[in-house]
Amino acid sequence: MRTIDGFQVSEDDLGWFGQLLARTATAALSAFGGGVPTTARYLTARQGQKHYAALTFAATSGYHDADIEVGDTKFVGTDHVFRMETVRIETFSGMIPELYELIRDGRVEEYRQAAYELRSKMNTTDAAGKWNGPISFHGDGSVMALSILPIRRRRAL
């Protein structure tokens, strides 16, 4: 018989543990969407709050610095371009603006309810639309998209 390490949460601590899980998940979602200042409010010092509360370089801390539309749904967040050998790839991570506003305002329970209600309305068929690549929709209202960018020739100096 194999044993698995674990722990038990007593009934007296269930409320606290539920809030801990909700805050941690909210921090992860906020960081995913590029909301660095908002992320810090949901973390304890031990979880790395200082990292998200510190001043950061503008290009790494922007929120709403990029958006995409998929069908009739807009997603806002952040994007990055990186290179794999000679191929340039754009990544976008973000979420539905109304959901982020709830998180930003500290209304986690309202966010969770709104995200749950939106799950069945997320358009996953013909999702690529104008986006040239795969898009991954998540039940929490977030999206991740990848796109290979056209080759850009540079002039020799």
Side-chain angles (χ1 to χ4, degrees):
M1 178 184 214
R2 185 173 160 221
T3 61
I4 299 174
D5 292 336
F7 62 93
Q8 180 176 351
V9 178
S10 69
E11 278 190 50
D12 294 341
D13 293 327
L14 286 178
W16 164 82
F17 191 65
Q19 287 296 313
L20 174 73
L21 292 177
R23 292 178 66 85
T24 305
T26 303
L29 187 57
S30 175
F32 183 76
V36 173
T38 300
T39 303
R41 76 185 289 179
Y42 293 107
L43 298 175
T44 65
R46 190 171 176 190
Q47 292 171 320
Q49 181 184 50
K50 286 182 183 179
H51 172 74
Y52 289 97
L55 293 176
T56 57
F57 179 63
T60 65
S61 64
Y63 169 69
H64 291 255
D65 64 344
D67 62 65
I68 64 172
E69 285 192 27
V70 180
D72 57 355
T73 305
K74 181 177 180 177
F75 294 89
V76 294
T78 189
D79 64 351
H80 299 280
V81 174
F82 62 95
R83 185 181 303 273
M84 292 182 73
E85 295 183 10
T86 60
V87 179
R88 293 173 50 239
I89 300 170
E90 179 180 9
T91 64
F92 174 84
S93 62
M95 60 190 310
I96 297 169
E98 296 79 11
L99 294 179
Y100 186 82
E101 290 168 13
L102 292 172
I103 290 173
R104 182 196 62 208
D105 296 343
R107 297 164 32 202
V108 177
E109 288 305 317
E110 290 178 58
Y111 151 74
R112 292 176 73 191
Q113 182 64 39
Y116 180 78
E117 291 171 3
L118 284 171
R119 287 175 84 157
S120 63
K121 298 175 186 170
M122 296 283 285
N123 180 9
T124 58
T125 58
D126 297 326
K130 297 177 189 174
W131 188 264
N132 182 28
I135 299 177
S136 176
F137 294 92
H138 303 269
D140 58 9
S142 65
V143 66
M144 173 155 236
L146 298 172
S147 179
I148 295 176
L149 296 175
I151 295 175
R152 188 176 74 197
R153 301 282 182 213
R154 295 182 186 211
R155 294 188 323 210
L157 297 175

